[in-house]
Amino acid sequence: MVPVWCAAAQAEPQDVSGAVPGVTPVVVAPAAASGQAGQTQHGGAHNPAHSGARGRAGQRVSGPAARRPVRAKPGPVVARQTTAVDVSARRHDFAYQDAQHIPDATTRITAERLTERGVVTLRGLERVAPNLTIQSINGTASTNFYLRGVGFNDFTQNNMAPVLTYVDDVAFPYSSMTSGMMFDLAGASVTPGPVGTEHGQSDTGGEVHLHTNDPTDTWHFGATQDIASYARSRSEAYVSGPLARGLSFRLAGQTQHGGGWQTNPLNGDHLGDADLWALRGKLRWKPDAHTTILLGGHFTQDNSEVVTAVPVHRLIGTQALPDMASWQQAEWSSRPQFAKLIGRKAGIKPSEHNQFWGADLHIDHDFGPLTLSAISAFETERQGEYTDQDGTALSQADTYRTIDANTFTQELRLHSSNTQDKLQWVVGAHYQRTRMDQRFFFDYTDYRPARGYMMSTTFGLNQESLSEFGHLSYRLPHGVMIWGGLLHERDERSITGLRSQIFGGATQNFHGESTTSDQFAGQVGVSWQMLRHALVYYKMSKGFKPGGFTANNTQIQAQLDPFKPETVLTYEAGFKADPIPDRLRINGAAFYNDFHNQQILGTVLIPNYGPLSEITNAPKSESWGFEGTIEAHPFSHLHLTQNLGWQRGNFQDFPTVNRAKTNAYYAQHGVWKAINDNFGGVDNGQPKLTLNGSAEWRQPLARAYTLEFGPDWQYRGSQAITPGGTGFYRLPPYFLLGAHVSFRSASGRWEATVYARNILNRRFAESGGQATTTYFYIPGEPRFIGGRISCAY
């Protein structure tokens, strides 16, 4: 849903969503860049930190959703930016006014809201969007997305996710590649449901966009320092300005240190300290009034420790689970022999040793009746990741993974330029190529008598995809608009050179497998601007996601059989209304998903070895629900926001191994026997209810200052970590409470904030999973109290 937060006497932020057919776009140029002192989201003057950041917002993108940010168009767009800058004349208490005329369920989030809620990683987005769950995989930098309950758990991260991540219009096929990039942001957006008919690739769950600040035509610089509990420190800085006529740049960076809050009761050691630094640079050139060229590059080095697992149930063996005096305690181990095998120092803690870098080139040229956009990008990752997945001092499931991957993407789009035309259109193509090599090392030395060895699994992945898309919308009389889009995508991928080696034992070599997916996706819809401040819409969308492979801990050739593509037919109806403009906003959408061959992490039993996770297909499943946003400014100074998401779903046909019953049989008889079951009629296990919101009091002080304070909250319902899971197979629900107090100058030059997260110090599980011998939870952060100072000029 459209985000929902209020701001006293603020200037409307630039709409990252683009324009909508039939509605005249209102493009507000940055006040600092234009020499005018507009208001910020918080009621103070315009913050130069974000000046010029939304230069691309005015570009027209065909279709009603127009979700993605696009690069600034020259010519007419520049004219709009220089003529529609009367910020002081038009102020709004709610952000993204133009988006209220766009028939979509996209949540648009301002940079100020991201900062206020402490969103510095992808996982933090679940605090500010409805029906969204983002979880780390075993506490690592890798993430899994669940949007409207659509998602799947892919530890190997070599398959396409149901929810794609974009950074400045560049598709990131593997979300881990975005690590360390959430700084110097201009905003973010979350779009649920099938996508791909207007840009990028088809997907079944939706997409997340991060929008970073662009270069400015006037000089600006700023810095932020954030210090919190457990010696956590986050620092950011940027500088932006012109280099020559038509040429400008922006350079920004961040560092993160400390924050480790887990301790080992066996030796008093602590775990979880961040050690990350990142840089991003952009160079923008406007050789003429019709052309914009933007070259960007980024680099991240992440040597952070990770939160380790806490076991909740022992599946194999008789050793007692660790008895922790506090939920902030955990056990971990690393044997010197294993550290030597993986080439790391003795005593290695659960941690990352990752490097990410990439570059992208955006070219936009306005030909008059149409605009050409070209986006070229190359992204790479080098990961070394150690996790203690059994969560004990024993070496029963200690894991080290290396990933060497790169991806190249190329997108071309032609779209209509004049936003006043009744007919709007876009056509284009998107190409992606990925090369990946992974190696998993496992230390099972203390898992006796079943194993008692160290081993590795090695494989490569080659992937290519090409999609062609088109989208049309037409504005009819009386505020009615119809639209339709079509996408064709062909995806080819193969897994190569897979070898499973037991050190001091046997080595197995497996022959390669390949799979090709060739399908169509599309969308049709109708909307009605029934009143000036009320919009209703209905759409039907088909989404498509290619098949792939499960490659972790392979023991038999059958484990490499590819799983099938996933398709979904989604029905969605929604509304957007400002029944009392600048006082009350209510947006909502209801949906129904009809899945075929939904990809899900199931279970396979390897004889004389045990159950292993395997991505498989549920032939038939469904989900349904709704999400809503209420934004209220009932009287002066008080601003309320509430996001709500509710969803239900079940498998209608899902034959698989019942892991719980299979484990129970082994515990009783000491023999592995697959207990097959069909989970038809079983709940899909995703959280049924998610809530997040805030209440803020904004008080001007003596004209020169502003004081803002208030609580924020987040709730997530119970979630299964295995199909049909009950008891310890489910993550418990949780409720978290936070608060902040901010004091800032009316000029927007500086700001000081004191904040608290998880004030009640609630114990909760952020995610969970299963290792060889135990089921575990990944605990969430305890109470953090911190302060933040920022300045911008």
Side-chain angles (χ1 to χ4, degrees):
M1 302 311 306
V2 169
V4 295
W5 71 275
C6 320
Q10 71 177 27
E12 178 180 349
Q14 298 238 354
D15 193 343
V16 299
S17 64
V20 58
V23 177
T24 302
V26 178
V27 181
V28 182
S34 64
Q36 300 191 24
Q39 299 289 319
T40 68
Q41 299 289 344
H42 300 286
H46 173 80
N47 185 349
H50 306 296
S51 297
R54 309 310 320 143
R56 60 182 176 271
Q59 182 172 357
R60 169 71 189 114
V61 183
S62 175
R67 304 178 179 95
R68 53 184 167 72
V70 286
R71 298 295 163 190
K73 272 185 4 79
V77 171
V78 173
R80 285 198 295 271
Q81 290 179 330
T82 58
T83 59
V85 294
D86 188 8
V87 178
S88 61
R90 181 179 182 182
R91 297 176 180 177
H92 293 284
D93 287 305
F94 301 147
Y96 302 116
Q97 292 288 324
D98 292 343
Q100 286 298 97
H101 305 288
I102 299 176
D104 64 13
T106 298
T107 301
R108 296 169 176 86
I109 310 156
T110 64
E112 289 82 2
R113 173 49 57 93
L114 295 171
T115 300
E116 172 195 310
R117 297 298 297 273
V119 180
V120 295
T121 65
L122 280 175
R123 293 197 297 275
L125 288 173
E126 67 178 11
R127 303 174 197 162
V128 290
N131 265 333
L132 176 64
T133 299
I134 308 177
Q135 297 169 313
S136 69
I137 302 176
N138 299 345
T140 68
S142 301
T143 54
N144 287 325
F145 287 80
Y146 298 90
L147 185 53
R148 288 180 172 175
V150 182
F152 78 137
N153 188 351
D154 180 19
F155 177 60
T156 56
Q157 293 285 282
N158 64 296
N159 299 294
M160 183 173 173
V163 181
L164 277 177
T165 303
Y166 289 78
V167 180
D168 290 334
D169 234 5
V170 174
F172 283 67
Y174 308 105
S175 61
S176 58
M177 288 181 169
T178 65
S179 294
M181 295 184 64
M182 291 193 66
F183 64 97
D184 194 36
L185 292 180
S189 59
V190 179
T191 300
V195 292
T197 63
E198 297 174 82
H199 68 279
Q201 295 179 268
S202 173
D203 215 337
T204 53
E207 56 195 22
V208 171
H209 285 263
L210 305 179
H211 321 303
T212 68
N213 284 317
D214 279 344
T216 54
D217 295 328
T218 56
W219 284 98
H220 299 285
F221 56 91
T224 299
Q225 179 62 54
D226 188 322
I227 299 175
S229 307
Y230 306 97
R232 188 182 70 189
S233 173
R234 294 173 179 151
S235 306
E236 294 186 24
Y238 73 92
V239 60
S240 178
L243 295 174
R245 183 176 178 85
L247 184 65
S248 57
F249 84 103
R250 190 178 190 97
L251 182 65
Q254 73 152 333
T255 64
Q256 298 181 15
H257 299 281
W261 51 268
Q262 280 189 315
T263 59
N264 192 330
L266 300 179
N267 55 21
D269 203 0
H270 82 283
L271 182 69
D273 281 339
D275 182 9
L276 177 149
W277 64 271
L279 287 173
R280 179 188 300 117
K282 291 186 176 183
L283 190 64
R284 182 174 64 190
W285 180 38
K286 296 182 178 180
D288 56 51
H290 302 283
T291 307
T292 299
I293 300 173
L294 184 62
L295 176 65
H298 62 90
F299 184 94
T300 298
Q301 181 69 49
D302 186 3
N303 297 320
S304 302
E305 298 168 357
V306 302
V307 176
T308 199
V310 175
V312 294
H313 182 77
R314 177 169 291 284
L315 298 174
I316 308 298
T318 59
Q319 301 96 334
L321 293 178
D323 184 14
M324 307 299 182
S326 166
W327 66 279
Q328 293 179 224
Q329 292 183 334
E331 292 184 6
W332 62 88
S333 63
S334 64
R335 298 188 316 115
Q337 298 90 333
F338 190 58
K340 182 178 179 180
L341 175 67
I342 63 179
R344 301 295 299 274
K345 64 181 181 180
I348 182 176
K349 297 180 181 180
S351 59
E352 307 281 356
H353 184 58
N354 304 339
Q355 192 176 93
F356 308 92
W357 62 269
D360 51 87
L361 178 66
H362 300 248
I363 301 175
D364 292 282
H365 184 78
D366 185 0
F367 289 97
L370 57 87
T371 297
L372 171 67
S373 299
I375 306 170
S376 307
F378 181 82
E379 301 293 337
T380 186
E381 63 177 344
R382 306 287 184 269
Q383 285 191 258
E385 192 173 75
Y386 174 66
T387 53
D388 188 325
Q389 295 185 27
D390 58 86
T392 71
L394 300 172
S395 295
Q396 296 182 331
D398 296 356
T399 305
Y400 186 75
R401 174 174 68 167
T402 64
I403 303 177
D404 187 347
N406 63 76
T407 181
F408 171 77
T409 58
Q410 176 66 61
E411 182 166 328
L412 292 173
R413 290 195 302 266
L414 283 172
H415 56 88
S416 50
S417 297
N418 189 349
T419 60
Q420 304 306 309
D421 290 343
K422 293 182 177 181
L423 176 66
Q424 300 292 315
W425 58 270
V426 59
V427 294
H430 183 276
Y431 171 78
Q432 177 199 318
R433 190 201 72 166
T434 296
R435 298 293 182 265
M436 175 183 289
D437 291 295
Q438 288 198 37
R439 191 172 189 184
F440 286 83
F441 295 86
F442 303 94
D443 189 354
Y444 297 132
T445 302
D446 294 328
Y447 179 17
R448 299 177 183 274
R451 300 183 192 178
Y453 50 72
M454 297 185 292
M455 66 168 294
S456 72
T457 298
T458 307
F459 68 91
L461 177 75
N462 298 324
Q463 179 267 338
E464 280 188 283
S465 67
L466 178 63
S467 59
E468 311 88 29
F469 54 85
H471 198 103
L472 295 172
S473 65
Y474 190 78
R475 190 173 68 252
L476 298 169
H478 308 296
V480 176
M481 184 175 65
I482 56 175
W483 71 86
L486 185 66
L487 173 140
H488 170 261
E489 182 173 312
R490 181 178 177 87
D491 181 277
E492 299 177 346
R493 58 185 66 209
S494 60
I495 194 165
T496 62
L498 196 143
R499 183 175 68 172
S500 182
Q501 178 182 6
I502 296 176
F503 296 99
T507 297
Q508 299 182 73
N509 292 294
F510 300 91
H511 63 75
E513 295 281 358
S514 62
T515 182
T516 300
S517 306
D518 193 342
Q519 292 208 23
F520 287 87
Q523 183 181 113
V524 293
V526 58
S527 67
W528 179 29
Q529 190 74 48
M530 52 190 293
L531 299 171
R532 180 181 178 185
H533 297 292
L535 169 78
V536 294
Y537 71 90
Y538 173 78
K539 67 178 181 180
M540 297 171 52
S541 308
K542 180 191 176 185
F544 155 73
K545 187 166 79 75
F549 305 95
T550 306
N552 179 26
N553 201 357
T554 303
Q555 299 299 312
I556 59 175
Q557 183 68 42
Q559 286 180 263
L560 292 182
D561 292 344
F563 51 86
K564 300 175 183 178
E566 171 183 291
T567 61
V568 62
L569 184 60
T570 297
Y571 307 85
E572 179 180 314
F575 68 93
K576 295 182 176 182
D578 289 349
I580 308 176
D582 289 334
R583 291 293 181 181
L584 179 64
R585 172 177 291 177
I586 305 175
N587 296 334
F591 62 89
Y592 175 81
N593 294 318
D594 182 11
F595 286 99
H596 292 267
N597 291 318
Q598 183 177 5
Q599 296 167 5
I600 189 168
L601 190 67
T603 300
V604 60
L605 181 68
I606 308 300
N608 301 319
Y609 191 87
L612 290 175
S613 297
E614 180 177 84
I615 301 174
T616 185
N617 297 96
K620 193 74 172 62
S621 57
E622 62 180 350
S623 65
W624 61 94
F626 63 86
E627 61 244 353
T629 292
I630 300 175
E631 189 173 5
H633 178 29
F635 53 84
S636 180
H637 309 309
L638 180 62
H639 302 261
L640 304 172
T641 295
Q642 181 63 64
N643 289 326
L644 179 149
W646 182 87
Q647 71 87 32
R648 294 291 302 269
N650 57 60
F651 303 110
Q652 296 165 294
D653 180 22
F654 182 21
T656 187
V657 173
N658 189 314
R659 188 185 288 256
K661 293 180 180 179
T662 299
N663 289 332
Y665 185 92
Y666 179 84
Q668 181 177 358
H669 302 283
V671 176
W672 286 116
K673 178 182 178 181
I675 308 298
N676 296 306
D677 203 347
N678 192 311
F679 286 150
V682 173
D683 185 89
N684 65 8
Q686 292 306 304
K688 294 178 176 59
L689 179 64
T690 58
L691 301 170
N692 58 72
S694 64
E696 298 167 331
W697 185 275
R698 298 172 188 163
Q699 180 69 53
L701 299 176
R703 290 178 172 259
Y705 307 100
T706 300
L707 180 68
E708 175 187 300
F709 58 90
D712 58 76
W713 52 85
Q714 178 187 357
Y715 173 83
R716 188 183 78 191
S718 175
Q719 178 184 6
I721 56 179
T722 187
T726 59
F728 62 83
Y729 292 98
R730 295 190 71 90
L731 300 176
Y734 65 79
F735 174 82
L736 303 179
L737 182 67
H740 77 282
V741 178
S742 296
F743 185 66
R744 65 179 58 85
S745 68
S747 67
R749 300 296 187 187
W750 59 266
E751 176 182 324
T753 299
V754 176
Y755 63 87
R757 311 290 181 208
N758 193 6
I759 292 177
L760 304 178
N761 205 28
R762 291 285 184 89
R763 176 178 182 173
F764 70 100
E766 186 266 328
S767 61
Q770 185 256 340
T772 306
T773 58
T774 64
Y775 262 87
F776 59 81
Y777 292 163
I778 300 297
E781 290 183 344
R783 179 192 298 119
F784 267 81
I785 299 176
R788 181 175 61 250
I789 298 176
S790 61
C791 60
Y793 298 93

